Amino acid sequence: MSSTRSSLDSHDGGPDIPHPDPPSSHHAKYPGTTDPTLGHSEELFSFPFQHSKLSVDSEICMKCQNDEWPNEKRDQCLPKVMEFISYQNDTMASVFSCISVFGCLVTSFTFGIFISYRDTPIVRANNRNLSYLLLVSIFLSFLSVFLFLGRPNDVTCRLRETSFGFFFSVAVSSLLTKTVMVCVAFKSTKPGSAWRKWLNVKLPYTIVLLCSFLQVVICVLWLSISPPFQDLDTETYPGILIIQCNEGSDIWFYSMLGYLGLLAAMSFVLAFMVRTLPDSFNEAKYITFSMLVFLSVWISMIPAYLSTRGKNMVAVEIFAVMASSAGLLGCVFFPKCFIILFKSGMNNKTELLGKRKE
Protein backbone atom coordinates (compact mmCIF):
# COMPACT_ATOMS: atom_id res chain seq x y z
CA MET A 1 0.00 0.00 0.00
CA SER A 2 2.81 2.36 0.78
CA SER A 3 4.51 1.69 -2.57
CA THR A 4 1.22 2.26 -4.41
CA ARG A 5 0.76 5.62 -2.55
CA SER A 6 4.30 6.63 -3.52
CA SER A 7 3.79 5.81 -7.15
CA LEU A 8 0.55 7.76 -7.22
CA ASP A 9 2.21 10.78 -5.64
CA SER A 10 5.05 10.77 -8.17
CA HIS A 11 2.80 10.14 -11.20
CA ASP A 12 3.26 12.93 -13.77
CA GLY A 13 -0.32 13.06 -14.81
CA GLY A 14 -1.77 13.13 -11.33
CA PRO A 15 -3.79 16.08 -10.00
CA ASP A 16 -1.93 18.98 -8.35
CA ILE A 17 -2.72 19.15 -4.69
CA PRO A 18 -2.63 22.75 -3.45
CA HIS A 19 -0.48 23.43 -0.43
CA PRO A 20 -1.77 26.12 1.89
CA ASP A 21 0.47 29.12 2.52
CA PRO A 22 1.75 29.63 6.02
CA PRO A 23 -0.56 31.83 8.12
CA SER A 24 2.03 34.57 8.42
CA SER A 25 1.86 35.24 4.68
CA HIS A 26 -1.74 36.46 5.06
CA HIS A 27 -0.68 39.27 7.43
CA ALA A 28 -0.14 42.07 4.95
CA LYS A 29 0.30 45.75 5.62
CA TYR A 30 -2.24 47.84 3.81
CA PRO A 31 -2.04 48.45 0.91
CA GLY A 32 -0.64 45.30 -0.71
CA THR A 33 2.74 44.86 0.96
CA THR A 34 3.68 41.65 2.72
CA ASP A 35 5.39 41.91 6.05
CA PRO A 36 4.96 39.00 8.48
CA THR A 37 6.02 41.08 11.47
CA LEU A 38 3.08 43.45 11.10
CA GLY A 39 0.68 40.73 12.17
CA HIS A 40 1.83 41.21 15.76
CA SER A 41 1.86 45.03 15.82
CA GLU A 42 -0.34 46.67 18.41
CA GLU A 43 -1.31 49.37 15.91
CA LEU A 44 -2.99 46.91 13.51
CA PHE A 45 -6.65 45.93 13.33
CA SER A 46 -7.97 42.87 11.50
CA PHE A 47 -11.09 41.36 9.98
CA PRO A 48 -11.72 37.72 8.86
CA PHE A 49 -12.00 36.68 5.23
CA GLN A 50 -12.25 33.44 3.21
CA HIS A 51 -9.41 32.43 0.94
CA SER A 52 -10.37 32.25 -2.71
CA LYS A 53 -9.17 28.67 -3.06
CA LEU A 54 -9.08 27.25 0.41
CA SER A 55 -11.85 27.55 2.96
CA VAL A 56 -9.36 28.48 5.66
CA ASP A 57 -10.10 31.26 8.18
CA SER A 58 -7.39 33.91 8.01
CA GLU A 59 -7.06 37.65 8.46
CA ILE A 60 -5.74 40.83 6.88
CA CYS A 61 -4.11 43.39 9.17
CA MET A 62 -4.36 47.07 8.35
CA LYS A 63 -2.14 49.58 10.10
CA CYS A 64 -3.84 52.45 11.92
CA GLN A 65 -2.64 56.00 11.32
CA ASN A 66 -0.13 57.59 13.69
CA ASP A 67 -2.82 59.47 15.61
CA GLU A 68 -5.07 56.39 15.95
CA TRP A 69 -5.12 53.24 18.06
CA PRO A 70 -7.01 49.92 17.67
CA ASN A 71 -9.81 49.05 20.08
CA GLU A 72 -9.80 45.92 22.24
CA LYS A 73 -11.39 43.75 19.55
CA ARG A 74 -8.84 44.95 16.99
CA ASP A 75 -11.58 45.66 14.44
CA GLN A 76 -11.63 49.47 14.48
CA CYS A 77 -9.17 52.37 14.75
CA LEU A 78 -9.87 54.93 17.47
CA PRO A 79 -8.24 58.34 18.00
CA LYS A 80 -5.37 58.34 20.49
CA VAL A 81 -5.63 60.35 23.68
CA MET A 82 -3.80 63.66 23.18
CA GLU A 83 -1.53 64.70 26.03
CA PHE A 84 -0.47 68.28 26.74
CA ILE A 85 -1.11 70.76 29.55
CA SER A 86 -4.63 71.77 28.59
CA TYR A 87 -6.59 74.68 30.04
CA GLN A 88 -9.87 72.75 29.80
CA ASN A 89 -9.33 69.54 31.75
CA ASP A 90 -5.93 69.74 33.43
CA THR A 91 -5.56 70.92 37.02
CA MET A 92 -1.87 71.47 36.42
CA ALA A 93 -2.64 74.33 34.01
CA SER A 94 -4.87 76.05 36.58
CA VAL A 95 -2.25 75.75 39.33
CA PHE A 96 0.56 77.10 37.16
CA SER A 97 -1.63 79.93 35.88
CA CYS A 98 -2.58 81.02 39.41
CA ILE A 99 1.03 80.93 40.61
CA SER A 100 2.19 82.88 37.56
CA VAL A 101 -0.48 85.55 38.01
CA PHE A 102 0.35 85.79 41.71
CA GLY A 103 4.05 86.22 40.88
CA CYS A 104 3.22 88.98 38.39
CA LEU A 105 1.06 90.77 41.00
CA VAL A 106 3.77 90.58 43.67
CA THR A 107 6.36 91.84 41.19
CA SER A 108 4.07 94.72 40.18
CA PHE A 109 3.48 95.59 43.84
CA THR A 110 7.23 95.63 44.48
CA PHE A 111 7.76 97.80 41.42
CA GLY A 112 5.11 100.22 42.73
CA ILE A 113 6.88 100.46 46.09
CA PHE A 114 10.19 101.26 44.40
CA ILE A 115 8.53 103.91 42.24
CA SER A 116 6.82 105.51 45.26
CA TYR A 117 10.06 105.58 47.28
CA ARG A 118 12.39 106.23 44.36
CA ASP A 119 14.13 109.19 46.04
CA THR A 120 14.99 107.35 49.26
CA PRO A 121 18.59 106.21 49.86
CA ILE A 122 17.83 102.48 49.86
CA VAL A 123 16.23 102.66 46.41
CA ARG A 124 18.83 104.98 44.94
CA ALA A 125 21.69 102.80 46.17
CA ASN A 126 23.22 100.52 43.53
CA ASN A 127 21.46 102.19 40.60
CA ARG A 128 17.66 102.26 40.85
CA ASN A 129 17.29 102.02 37.06
CA LEU A 130 18.92 98.61 37.17
CA SER A 131 16.43 97.64 39.86
CA TYR A 132 13.58 98.70 37.56
CA LEU A 133 15.06 96.68 34.71
CA LEU A 134 15.46 93.65 36.97
CA LEU A 135 11.84 93.88 38.13
CA VAL A 136 10.57 94.14 34.55
CA SER A 137 12.57 91.07 33.50
CA ILE A 138 11.26 89.08 36.50
CA PHE A 139 7.70 90.12 35.62
CA LEU A 140 8.16 88.94 32.02
CA SER A 141 9.69 85.68 33.25
CA PHE A 142 6.58 84.95 35.31
CA LEU A 143 4.45 85.91 32.31
CA SER A 144 6.37 83.57 29.97
CA VAL A 145 4.88 80.60 31.84
CA PHE A 146 1.72 80.98 29.73
CA LEU A 147 3.74 80.09 26.62
CA PHE A 148 4.20 76.61 28.11
CA LEU A 149 0.48 76.05 28.72
CA GLY A 150 -2.08 74.95 26.17
CA ARG A 151 -1.56 73.02 22.95
CA PRO A 152 1.89 73.86 21.56
CA ASN A 153 2.49 74.94 17.97
CA ASP A 154 5.53 76.07 16.01
CA VAL A 155 5.20 79.71 17.12
CA THR A 156 4.81 79.02 20.85
CA CYS A 157 7.58 76.43 20.74
CA ARG A 158 10.00 79.01 19.36
CA LEU A 159 8.90 81.70 21.78
CA ARG A 160 8.85 79.60 24.95
CA GLU A 161 12.41 78.37 24.68
CA THR A 162 14.01 81.66 23.67
CA SER A 163 11.91 84.07 25.75
CA PHE A 164 12.82 82.79 29.20
CA GLY A 165 16.46 82.54 28.12
CA PHE A 166 16.49 86.20 27.10
CA PHE A 167 14.52 87.45 30.12
CA PHE A 168 16.76 85.63 32.57
CA SER A 169 19.89 86.81 30.80
CA VAL A 170 18.72 90.42 31.29
CA ALA A 171 17.93 89.72 34.95
CA VAL A 172 21.23 88.01 35.72
CA SER A 173 23.15 90.64 33.75
CA SER A 174 21.52 93.34 35.88
CA LEU A 175 22.62 91.56 39.06
CA LEU A 176 26.12 91.10 37.67
CA THR A 177 26.24 94.81 36.88
CA LYS A 178 25.04 95.72 40.36
CA THR A 179 27.83 93.63 41.86
CA VAL A 180 30.45 95.17 39.58
CA MET A 181 29.30 98.67 40.52
CA VAL A 182 29.55 97.85 44.25
CA CYS A 183 33.13 96.74 43.72
CA VAL A 184 34.00 99.80 41.59
CA ALA A 185 32.35 102.21 44.05
CA PHE A 186 34.33 100.78 46.97
CA LYS A 187 37.66 100.91 45.16
CA SER A 188 37.03 104.47 43.96
CA THR A 189 36.79 105.81 47.55
CA LYS A 190 40.57 105.79 47.89
CA PRO A 191 42.24 109.13 47.06
CA GLY A 192 43.62 109.29 43.54
CA SER A 193 42.06 105.97 42.59
CA ALA A 194 41.91 105.18 38.88
CA TRP A 195 38.55 103.48 39.40
CA ARG A 196 36.73 106.81 39.61
CA LYS A 197 36.71 107.20 35.85
CA TRP A 198 34.51 104.08 35.65
CA LEU A 199 31.84 105.67 37.85
CA ASN A 200 29.70 106.99 35.03
CA VAL A 201 26.22 106.37 33.78
CA LYS A 202 27.27 104.45 30.68
CA LEU A 203 29.16 101.59 32.35
CA PRO A 204 26.16 99.74 33.92
CA TYR A 205 24.09 99.85 30.74
CA THR A 206 27.07 98.80 28.65
CA ILE A 207 27.55 95.66 30.77
CA VAL A 208 23.84 94.77 30.62
CA LEU A 209 23.62 95.34 26.86
CA LEU A 210 26.77 93.36 26.13
CA CYS A 211 25.81 90.34 28.26
CA SER A 212 22.23 90.29 26.95
CA PHE A 213 23.35 90.78 23.35
CA LEU A 214 25.40 87.59 23.44
CA GLN A 215 22.31 85.66 24.52
CA VAL A 216 20.33 87.28 21.70
CA VAL A 217 22.97 86.14 19.20
CA ILE A 218 22.69 82.55 20.48
CA CYS A 219 18.89 82.62 20.22
CA VAL A 220 18.90 84.17 16.73
CA LEU A 221 21.37 81.57 15.45
CA TRP A 222 19.27 78.85 17.06
CA LEU A 223 16.08 80.07 15.36
CA SER A 224 17.87 80.49 12.03
CA ILE A 225 19.69 77.14 11.89
CA SER A 226 17.47 74.65 13.72
CA PRO A 227 14.41 76.27 15.35
CA PRO A 228 12.12 74.46 17.81
CA PHE A 229 8.94 72.99 16.36
CA GLN A 230 5.82 71.06 17.31
CA ASP A 231 6.44 67.34 17.57
CA LEU A 232 4.04 64.39 17.86
CA ASP A 233 5.34 61.56 20.03
CA THR A 234 3.48 58.31 19.27
CA GLU A 235 6.04 55.86 20.67
CA THR A 236 6.55 56.70 24.36
CA TYR A 237 3.17 55.64 25.75
CA PRO A 238 0.83 53.18 23.97
CA GLY A 239 -2.48 54.75 23.01
CA ILE A 240 -1.32 58.29 23.91
CA LEU A 241 -0.31 60.99 21.43
CA ILE A 242 2.05 63.44 23.15
CA ILE A 243 1.98 66.89 21.58
CA GLN A 244 5.21 68.55 22.60
CA CYS A 245 7.93 70.92 21.52
CA ASN A 246 11.09 69.59 19.96
CA GLU A 247 14.10 71.82 20.66
CA GLY A 248 15.29 71.34 17.08
CA SER A 249 18.91 71.25 18.18
CA ASP A 250 20.07 70.12 21.59
CA ILE A 251 23.36 71.92 21.02
CA TRP A 252 21.74 75.35 20.76
CA PHE A 253 19.32 74.64 23.61
CA TYR A 254 22.10 73.72 26.01
CA SER A 255 24.25 76.57 24.69
CA MET A 256 21.52 78.97 25.75
CA LEU A 257 21.26 77.34 29.18
CA GLY A 258 25.04 77.13 29.47
CA TYR A 259 25.53 80.83 28.80
CA LEU A 260 22.82 81.61 31.35
CA GLY A 261 24.62 79.43 33.86
CA LEU A 262 27.91 81.18 33.08
CA LEU A 263 26.40 84.60 33.83
CA ALA A 264 24.88 83.28 37.06
CA ALA A 265 28.18 81.70 38.15
CA MET A 266 30.08 84.93 37.48
CA SER A 267 27.53 86.91 39.48
CA PHE A 268 27.67 84.43 42.34
CA VAL A 269 31.46 84.40 42.57
CA LEU A 270 31.82 88.18 42.35
CA ALA A 271 28.98 88.84 44.81
CA PHE A 272 30.47 86.35 47.26
CA MET A 273 33.81 88.16 47.07
CA VAL A 274 32.40 91.64 47.76
CA ARG A 275 29.64 90.67 50.19
CA THR A 276 31.62 91.95 53.24
CA LEU A 277 32.41 95.41 51.89
CA PRO A 278 31.51 98.17 54.42
CA ASP A 279 28.30 99.49 52.89
CA SER A 280 24.97 99.69 54.68
CA PHE A 281 23.03 99.03 51.49
CA ASN A 282 25.44 96.59 49.93
CA GLU A 283 23.32 94.23 47.85
CA ALA A 284 26.10 91.72 47.29
CA LYS A 285 25.02 89.37 50.07
CA TYR A 286 21.45 89.33 48.74
CA ILE A 287 22.72 88.75 45.21
CA THR A 288 24.83 85.86 46.52
CA PHE A 289 21.76 84.13 47.93
CA SER A 290 19.69 84.82 44.82
CA MET A 291 22.35 83.34 42.52
CA LEU A 292 22.72 80.35 44.81
CA VAL A 293 18.98 79.69 44.50
CA PHE A 294 19.07 80.30 40.75
CA LEU A 295 21.94 77.90 40.12
CA SER A 296 20.50 75.24 42.42
CA VAL A 297 17.15 75.31 40.62
CA TRP A 298 18.57 75.01 37.11
CA ILE A 299 21.25 72.43 37.99
CA SER A 300 18.61 70.18 39.58
CA MET A 301 16.23 70.86 36.69
CA ILE A 302 18.45 69.32 33.99
CA PRO A 303 18.41 65.67 35.19
CA ALA A 304 14.70 65.92 36.04
CA TYR A 305 14.02 67.38 32.59
CA LEU A 306 15.90 64.58 30.85
CA SER A 307 14.26 61.78 32.84
CA THR A 308 10.63 62.76 32.19
CA ARG A 309 8.39 62.72 29.13
CA GLY A 310 5.21 64.38 27.98
CA LYS A 311 3.54 67.09 30.01
CA ASN A 312 5.61 66.21 33.07
CA MET A 313 8.70 67.39 31.22
CA VAL A 314 6.98 70.71 30.50
CA ALA A 315 5.93 70.94 34.15
CA VAL A 316 9.57 70.58 35.24
CA GLU A 317 10.58 73.45 32.97
CA ILE A 318 7.71 75.64 34.22
CA PHE A 319 8.67 74.95 37.82
CA ALA A 320 12.28 75.94 37.12
CA VAL A 321 11.16 79.23 35.53
CA MET A 322 8.83 80.13 38.41
CA ALA A 323 11.17 79.00 41.18
CA SER A 324 14.15 80.94 39.83
CA SER A 325 11.99 84.04 39.25
CA ALA A 326 10.65 83.85 42.80
CA GLY A 327 14.19 83.35 44.11
CA LEU A 328 15.43 86.51 42.40
CA LEU A 329 12.43 88.53 43.56
CA GLY A 330 12.53 87.30 47.15
CA CYS A 331 16.25 87.42 47.80
CA VAL A 332 16.97 90.78 46.19
CA PHE A 333 13.86 92.89 46.78
CA PHE A 334 11.99 91.59 49.85
CA PRO A 335 14.66 92.76 52.35
CA LYS A 336 14.53 96.26 50.84
CA CYS A 337 10.73 96.31 50.84
CA PHE A 338 10.74 95.24 54.50
CA ILE A 339 13.03 98.16 55.40
CA ILE A 340 10.96 100.62 53.35
CA LEU A 341 7.62 99.56 54.82
CA PHE A 342 8.46 98.52 58.39
CA LYS A 343 11.91 99.96 59.21
CA SER A 344 11.66 103.43 57.76
CA GLY A 345 14.16 104.73 60.33
CA MET A 346 16.91 102.84 58.50
CA ASN A 347 15.95 104.38 55.16
CA ASN A 348 17.74 107.71 55.51
CA LYS A 349 21.08 109.20 54.59
CA THR A 350 22.13 109.76 58.19
CA GLU A 351 21.77 106.07 59.00
CA LEU A 352 23.66 105.20 55.84
CA LEU A 353 26.59 107.51 56.56
CA GLY A 354 26.65 106.57 60.25
CA LYS A 355 27.07 102.86 59.51
CA ARG A 356 29.70 103.58 56.89
CA LYS A 357 31.80 105.46 59.49
CA GLU A 358 31.48 102.56 61.89
Side-chain angles (χ1 to χ4, degrees), residues 273-340:
M273 292 172 60
V274 302
R275 73 190 188 284
T276 57
L277 293 182
D279 193 335
S280 300
F281 298 103
N282 183 6
E283 290 183 304
K285 53 186 176 182
Y286 304 128
I287 295 175
T288 302
F289 285 117
S290 66
M291 288 297 96
L292 184 61
V293 172
F294 187 88
L295 290 171
S296 300
V297 168
W298 285 100
I299 290 175
S300 60
M301 168 264 183
I302 293 177
Y305 180 81
L306 295 175
S307 61
T308 54
R309 291 291 182 270
K311 64 181 182 180
N312 293 329
M313 183 171 63
V314 181
V316 169
E317 199 168 359
I318 293 174
F319 175 79
V321 171
M322 293 193 302
S324 52
S325 300
L328 295 178
L329 181 63
C331 294
V332 176
F333 291 101
F334 283 2
K336 287 188 173 185
C337 290
F338 180 79
I339 293 176
I340 292 173

Side-chain angles (χ1 to χ4, degrees), residues 70-241:
N71 60 358
E72 293 182 357
K73 296 182 179 180
R74 302 292 179 87
D75 59 359
Q76 185 181 3
C77 287
L78 301 177
K80 288 184 177 181
V81 178
M82 295 185 181
E83 181 180 275
F84 57 91
I85 302 181
S86 173
Y87 285 106
Q88 283 78 20
N89 52 10
D90 200 328
T91 307
M92 196 182 298
S94 302
V95 172
F96 285 145
S97 298
C98 293
I99 297 176
S100 177
V101 171
F102 179 75
C104 291
L105 292 177
V106 174
T107 307
S108 301
F109 179 72
T110 306
F111 189 81
I113 292 177
F114 270 63
I115 292 293
S116 301
Y117 295 88
R118 59 186 177 274
D119 293 326
T120 58
I122 197 170
V123 176
R124 296 179 62 182
N126 301 110
N127 199 318
R128 59 187 172 188
N129 291 330
L130 286 179
S131 299
Y132 299 156
L133 181 61
L134 178 58
L135 284 169
V136 170
S137 61
I138 293 175
F139 178 86
L140 294 175
S141 298
F142 276 119
L143 207 60
S144 67
V145 169
F146 290 99
L147 294 173
F148 294 83
L149 304 178
R151 178 168 180 161
N153 53 58
D154 289 344
V155 176
T156 56
C157 287
R158 294 173 186 180
L159 288 177
R160 70 162 62 169
E161 303 296 347
T162 56
S163 60
F164 83 84
F166 173 72
F167 296 149
F168 278 131
S169 67
V170 174
V172 177
S173 298
S174 301
L175 293 177
L176 177 62
T177 305
K178 280 175 170 286
T179 310
V180 171
M181 295 310 297
V182 169
C183 183
V184 172
F186 177 75
K187 291 184 176 296
S188 63
T189 56
K190 299 178 181 180
S193 175
W195 290 92
R196 290 189 177 183
K197 63 181 180 180
W198 297 103
L199 287 176
N200 55 68
V201 180
K202 295 181 180 180
L203 179 61
Y205 304 116
T206 302
I207 298 175
V208 173
L209 287 175
L210 179 61
C211 295
S212 303
F213 177 74
L214 293 177
Q215 185 71 290
V216 170
V217 171
I218 294 175
C219 292
V220 169
L221 290 175
W222 182 12
L223 294 177
S224 301
I225 297 174
S226 182
F229 58 90
Q230 183 199 65
D231 189 22
L232 304 179
D233 183 1
T234 61
E235 304 296 333
T236 301
Y237 301 114
I240 297 178
L241 177 65

Side-chain angles (χ1 to χ4, degrees), residues 45-60:
F45 72 91
S46 59
F47 55 89
F49 81 104
Q50 298 295 324
H51 195 275
S52 58
K53 291 184 180 181
L54 296 176
S55 298
V56 178
D57 291 338
S58 186
E59 62 180 14
I60 288 180

